[in-house]
């Protein structure tokens, strides 16, 4: 990983070096580049001006021509001003230096033309030099004013050169030589400025090309791993689809990878270690690929692989297995030995898709099926998965609508006191009255409600309706003692800090006493977050609410901790009761008896669910079970039918 980073940095350094050599070493608009070009110009110009000043001084001594002496002084003065400009450039005062150069040029040209009109052609170039010098540094408005000033100066020079008479005693050869030399100097200065402008322009173009390439790379690649990002990958996938349509023999496959438990790394070791792990994983995935394959990072811990020109469909599964095997080797990052696996969804030779997003969608669906199947595996997509995914999406949409329009109803299943055979309470069970599909049992929508968080709203609604109905029955049938209602409590509800407050508020609203309400929760829900569960259970028991452990024996059990919770009863799961009948030779009778004995030792009651036959009822009574419920007594029924059972005061012997 380090060597890869070093190679990448070396490549960037070489590219930067080549651009520096081409453009002068720095960005065209950087202070360093401006200083270098101005100093280069002055390094040429100062010796030329001072040299011409000295030559004119010697000519003055020879010919004693006043105009030559004045010209010599002007040139020497101009050279001194350029030296001052040089000093300003070294102090990075570029605007002051450019202003001094331009002003000196224009003033010198205006002063020289009355003295030496024969230099008209040379002096006319001076305003052009001024504009050329100021061009890279002046703002738009300043350059506009300077251009107008230079044009006016050139016009004045031309007028003065044509109107002022000129006579001299200097020899013709000196005059001709000086005009040629001065014109040559002016042309040289202009050529120097043009060369600098060309260098500056090429540097700017090179920077623009580099910036464009950098922006394109950043727009199409992941900044962390350097892999193609979603946009570039989808473009490659679209091209693979087109190639497959033109040539049916060219098959391809898409692999969608999601790391298992990657969040644990970020939470425990920090995002820095997590990022380094992602870089290492990206490198290992690429090592499993051919040069023609594409590996991309979509986001977070999700990667995708495009395999093209496959020989057989089994090749895609082989690549997925190769990736799984490569990831089994631990990563060593800053002293940490990290293990990771990936769930992979595979779509092989997708020929009936219209958009690349559809292939990615189905690969994602297969990936989640791999996670549901235990993680660290791959699953090949089939059409049944798409049907199920669409069905789940439709179900979620309908479920949200059901919450909004309150389409849920509460059914009640009687709980019977087995020794007396009389009803001692009811379990409230939610049903979904779907406007199109009819009555939907809880097993079909409760898992989805828990996954989407809708269970909190549904659970509170069921609790309120159940408490309201039981308060009504308690008023109508005062002789029924005890008579309470049991409501199932999900793990998502238990860990909400405000849930006990909701229960207290509902009891106050309905007038139901806390002792007449029982909340049923599974063992695994209690063990999911023991500290939070213990706090919630303590607050609930303070309200007088009873607590039952539902489905006891089927989930995670911590017998050593069970006695620490304020549990009133254990509820034996129907799977044990079902195999207590004569047909199964009472297979689970000893297990049930053991649970009942355990409950007695812990001072708890026992409730058996799923009683369907007389034989099961007799065996439970013999074992000393306190309460029972099941189809033998009654299926879950609406509130009106449950009220009729109470009115009949039926006894089961």
């Amino acid at each position: 990983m380090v060597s890869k980073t070093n190679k990448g940095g070396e490549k960037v350094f070489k590219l930067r070096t080549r651009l520096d050599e081409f453009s002068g070493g720095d960005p065209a608009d950087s202070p360093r580049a401006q200083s270098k070009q101005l100093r280069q110009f002055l390094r040429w110009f100062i010796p030329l001006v001072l040299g011409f000043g000295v030559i004119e001084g010697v000519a003055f001594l020879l010919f004693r021509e006043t105009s030559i002496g004045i010209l010599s002084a002007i040139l020497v003065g101009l050279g001194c001003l350029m030296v001052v400009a040089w000093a300003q450039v070294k102090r990075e005062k570029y605007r002051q230096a450019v202003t001094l150069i331009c002003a000196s040029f224009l003033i010198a040209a205006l002063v020289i033309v009355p003295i030496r009109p024969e230099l008209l052609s040379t002096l006319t170039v001076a305003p052009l030099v001024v504009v050329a010098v100021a061009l890279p540094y002046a703002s738009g408005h300043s350059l506009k004013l300077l251009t107008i000033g230079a044009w006016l100066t050139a016009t004045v020079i031309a007028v003065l050169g044509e109107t002022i008479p000129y006579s001299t005693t200097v020899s013709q050869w000196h005059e001709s030589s000086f005009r040629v030399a001065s014109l040559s100097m002016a042309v040289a200065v202009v050529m120097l400025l043009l060369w600098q402008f060309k260098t500056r322009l090429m540097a700017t173009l090179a920077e623009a090309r580099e910036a464009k390439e950098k922006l394109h790379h950043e727009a199409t690649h992941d900044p962390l791993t350097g892999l193609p990002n979603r946009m570039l990958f989808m473009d490659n996938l679209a091209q693979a689809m087109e190639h497959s349509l033109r040539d049916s023999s060219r098959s391809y496959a898409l692999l969608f990878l999601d790391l298992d438990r990657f969040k644990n790394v970020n939470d425990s070791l920090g995002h820095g270690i997590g990022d380094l792990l992602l870089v290492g994983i990206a490198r290992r995935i690429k090592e499993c690929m051919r040069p023609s394959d594409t590996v991309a990072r979509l986001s977070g811990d999700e990667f995708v692989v495009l395999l093209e020109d496959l020989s057989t469909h089994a090749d895609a599964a082989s690549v997925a297995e190769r990736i799984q095997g490569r990831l089994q080797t631990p990563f060593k990052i800053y002293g940490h030995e990290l293990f990771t696996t990936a769930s992979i969804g595979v779509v092989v030779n997708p020929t009936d898709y219209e958009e690349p997003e559809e292939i990615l969608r189905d690969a994602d669906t297969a990936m989640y099926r791999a996670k549901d199947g235990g993680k660290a595996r791959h699953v090949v997509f089939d059409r049944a998965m798409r049907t199920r995914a669409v069905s789940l999406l439709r179900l979620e949409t309908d479920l949200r609508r059901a919450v909004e329009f309150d389409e849920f109803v509460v059914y009640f299943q009687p709980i019977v006191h087995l020794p007396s055979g009389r009803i001692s309470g009811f379990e409230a069970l939610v049903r979904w009255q779907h406007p199109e599909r009819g009555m939907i049992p809880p097993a079909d929508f409760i898992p989805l409600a828990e996954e989407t968080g809708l269970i909190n709203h549904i659970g509170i609604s069921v609790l309120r309706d159940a408490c309201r109905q039981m308060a009504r029955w308690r008023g109508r049938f005062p002789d029924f003692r005890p008579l309470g209602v049991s409501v199932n409590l999900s793990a998502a509800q238990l860990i909400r800090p405000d849930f006990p407050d909701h229960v207290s508020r509902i009891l106050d609203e309905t007038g139901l006493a806390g002792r007449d309400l029982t909340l049923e929760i599974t063992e695994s829900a209690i063990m999911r977050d023991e500290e939070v569960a213990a706090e919630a259970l303590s607050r609930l028991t303070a309200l007088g609410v009873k607590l039952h452990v539902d489905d006891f024996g089927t989930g995670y059990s911590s017998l050593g901790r069970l006695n620490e919770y304020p549990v009133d009863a254990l509820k034996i799961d129907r799977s044990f009761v079902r195999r207590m009948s004569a047909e199964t030779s009472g297979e689970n009778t000893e297990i049930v008896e053991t649970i009942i004995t355990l409950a007695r030792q812990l001072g708890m009651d026992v409730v058996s669910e799923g009683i369907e036959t007389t034989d099961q009822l007799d065996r439970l009574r013999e074992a000393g079970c306190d309460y029972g419920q099941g189809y033998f007594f009654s299926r879950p029924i609406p509130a009106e039918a449950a009220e009729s059972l109470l009115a009949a005061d039926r006894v089961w012997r």
Side-chain angles (χ1 to χ4, degrees):
M1 179 164 50
V2 175
S3 62
K4 180 179 179 180
T5 304
N6 290 340
K7 289 181 180 179
E10 182 180 350
K11 183 177 180 181
V12 172
F13 176 76
K14 289 181 178 180
L15 177 60
R16 169 61 67 181
T17 302
R18 291 183 61 189
L19 288 170
D20 287 348
E21 293 173 354
F22 182 67
S23 63
D26 292 282
D29 57 350
S30 68
R32 185 176 175 184
Q34 293 178 344
S35 174
K36 182 177 180 180
Q37 293 192 353
L38 271 177
R39 280 185 294 173
Q40 189 179 47
F41 168 73
L42 293 173
R43 190 183 300 119
W44 286 26
F45 187 69
I46 291 174
L48 286 175
V49 173
L50 292 177
F52 271 90
V54 171
I55 292 173
E56 286 297 280
V58 173
F60 170 72
L61 294 176
L62 291 176
F63 300 109
R64 299 295 178 179
E65 179 77 31
T66 304
S67 61
I68 295 177
I70 296 174
L71 179 59
S72 174
I74 293 173
L75 292 176
V76 172
L78 181 60
C80 293
L81 291 174
M82 296 301 103
V83 173
V84 174
W86 174 285
Q88 289 178 327
V89 170
K90 292 186 67 176
R91 293 197 296 269
E92 297 185 358
K93 296 182 178 181
Y94 308 113
R95 292 188 179 278
Q96 293 88 330
V98 170
T99 301
L100 179 60
I101 294 171
C102 294
S104 302
F105 259 78
L106 294 178
I107 294 173
L110 289 173
V111 173
I112 292 174
V113 70
I115 301 172
R116 301 292 295 273
E118 76 277 12
L119 299 178
L120 176 64
S121 57
T122 301
L123 296 175
T124 306
V125 179
L128 300 179
V129 174
V130 169
V131 175
V133 170
L135 185 61
Y137 309 97
S139 63
H141 181 68
S142 300
L143 189 61
K144 179 180 179 180
L145 295 177
L146 183 61
T147 303
I148 295 174
W151 176 77
L152 292 175
T153 302
T155 302
V156 171
I157 290 173
V159 171
L160 292 176
E162 293 297 329
T163 57
I164 297 177
Y166 172 72
S167 61
T168 181
T169 59
V170 180
S171 62
Q172 184 66 32
W173 68 268
H174 174 76
E175 288 293 319
S176 299
S177 299
F178 187 79
R179 280 197 300 272
V180 171
S182 61
L183 184 59
S184 176
M185 181 187 72
V187 172
V189 170
V190 173
M191 294 299 293
L192 171 63
L193 293 173
L194 290 176
W195 178 79
Q196 286 190 334
F197 178 75
K198 173 258 183 185
T199 303
R200 195 179 184 89
L201 178 62
M202 295 302 293
T204 302
L205 292 176
E207 291 168 19
R209 284 196 299 270
E210 180 187 8
K212 182 179 179 180
E213 292 172 359
K214 183 179 179 181
L215 287 174
H216 182 266
H217 186 273
E218 291 177 351
T220 57
H221 288 76
D222 173 50
L224 177 63
T225 62
L227 296 176
N229 61 11
R230 183 189 186 97
M231 182 177 69
L232 181 57
F233 181 82
M234 297 306 287
D235 183 66
N236 291 347
L237 181 57
Q239 293 181 26
M241 292 177 65
E242 293 179 2
H243 295 161
S244 179
L245 289 175
R246 289 196 297 265
D247 184 358
S248 58
S249 64
R250 299 186 61 176
S251 61
Y252 64 100
L254 176 66
L255 276 61
F256 194 116
L257 292 82
D258 186 270
L259 303 181
D260 301 323
R261 296 174 295 276
F262 177 76
K263 185 177 182 296
N264 294 342
V265 177
N266 283 337
D267 292 345
S268 59
L269 301 178
H271 288 268
I273 298 295
D275 288 347
L276 293 176
L277 179 59
L278 288 174
V279 173
I281 290 170
R283 184 177 66 247
R284 290 194 184 180
I285 294 175
K286 288 197 67 175
E287 291 172 356
C288 299
M289 300 298 120
R290 303 166 301 174
S292 60
D293 300 329
T294 303
V295 181
R297 181 186 176 212
L298 289 187
S299 63
D301 58 349
E302 294 180 339
F303 296 85
V304 284
V305 177
L306 175 61
L307 306 174
E308 298 190 66
D309 298 325
L310 297 177
S311 301
T312 64
H313 293 175
D315 291 345
S318 299
V319 172
E321 293 172 357
R322 188 159 63 243
I323 293 174
Q324 294 282 15
R326 192 72 181 87
L327 293 180
Q328 288 180 357
T329 305
F331 294 83
K332 296 182 179 180
I333 301 175
Y334 288 124
H336 301 285
E337 191 174 50
L338 305 177
F339 294 84
T340 187
T341 58
S343 299
I344 306 176
V346 183
V347 177
V348 181
N349 198 28
T351 57
D352 55 347
Y353 291 89
E354 296 182 358
E355 298 293 336
E357 288 77 9
E358 297 175 355
I359 305 177
L360 190 65
R361 174 202 64 200
D362 288 348
D364 186 39
T365 299
M367 181 272 294
Y368 276 107
R369 179 61 64 88
K371 281 191 177 294
D372 293 340
K375 302 182 175 65
R377 57 195 296 263
H378 74 273
V379 170
V380 180
F381 177 82
D382 58 47
R383 291 300 167 189
M385 297 181 193
R386 170 99 313 263
T387 302
R388 181 175 180 273
V390 172
S391 177
L392 281 176
L393 179 61
R394 184 179 297 112
L395 184 64
E396 180 181 349
T397 302
D398 292 348
L399 186 60
R400 294 184 182 278
R401 185 199 60 198
V403 170
E404 181 180 357
F405 293 100
D406 194 19
E407 297 177 356
F408 300 100
V409 294
V410 179
Y411 274 39
F412 296 88
Q413 186 175 39
I415 300 174
V416 177
H417 181 242
L418 297 187
S420 66
R422 298 186 69 199
I423 295 176
S424 63
F426 290 88
E427 180 179 1
L429 300 168
V430 65
R431 298 291 186 267
W432 177 8
Q433 184 64 55
H434 194 282
E436 298 175 359
R437 299 169 57 183
M439 195 67 71
I440 299 179
D444 292 348
F445 67 88
I446 289 297
L448 181 60
E450 292 178 337
E451 182 180 347
T452 58
L454 295 174
I455 190 64
N456 295 303
H457 181 92
I458 297 172
I460 293 298
S461 177
V462 171
L463 180 62
R464 180 178 289 105
D465 291 346
C467 290
R468 184 182 296 114
Q469 186 61 60
M470 181 50 62
R472 185 179 299 117
W473 287 337
R474 293 289 303 142
R476 183 168 181 185
F477 304 100
D479 295 336
F480 269 93
R481 270 295 179 189
L483 183 63
V485 64
S486 298
V487 180
N488 288 287
L489 178 63
S490 73
Q493 291 175 278
L494 183 63
I495 63 175
R496 287 181 64 92
D498 59 346
F499 179 72
D501 297 328
H502 281 296
V503 175
S504 177
R505 191 156 43 247
I506 290 173
L507 292 175
D508 291 339
E509 291 174 1
T510 60
L512 185 68
R515 65 177 180 275
D516 295 327
L517 172 63
T518 299
L519 295 178
E520 298 182 1
I521 187 167
T522 61
E523 303 163 271
S524 57
I526 296 177
M527 303 305 173
R528 179 176 174 180
D529 193 329
E530 294 187 60
E531 293 184 6
V532 175
E535 172 67 20
L537 296 179
S538 176
R539 293 175 62 189
L540 289 170
T541 54
L543 298 173
V545 175
K546 298 176 183 178
L547 299 172
H548 290 186
V549 175
D550 196 12
D551 301 333
F552 185 78
T554 60
Y556 177 85
S557 296
S558 178
L559 300 180
R561 302 296 302 275
L562 187 61
N563 194 37
E564 299 179 10
Y565 297 110
V567 176
D568 298 284
L570 301 180
K571 197 167 185 180
I572 302 175
D573 186 69
R574 68 182 68 250
S575 60
F576 296 106
V577 176
R578 183 184 306 116
R579 303 187 68 81
M580 290 181 66
S581 60
E583 290 81 0
T584 59
S585 302
E587 183 177 329
N588 285 338
T589 301
E590 293 182 355
I591 296 176
V592 171
E593 290 175 348
T594 301
I595 295 175
I596 293 173
T597 302
L598 172 65
R600 292 286 180 266
Q601 295 295 325
L602 296 175
M604 302 176 185
D605 291 331
V606 179
V607 182
S608 294
E609 59 180 354
I611 302 174
E612 298 181 357
T613 66
T614 303
D615 186 39
Q616 293 170 347
L617 176 60
D618 292 340
R619 289 176 184 270
L620 288 169
R621 278 176 170 163
E622 290 175 5
C625 184
D626 301 296
Y627 301 94
Q629 66 184 99
Y631 286 180
F632 177 81
F633 305 110
S634 173
R635 292 175 176 271
I637 53 180
E640 297 79 7
E643 187 170 322
S644 298
L645 276 180
L646 286 173
D649 193 15
R650 180 175 176 181
V651 177
W652 286 271
R653 296 298 182 186

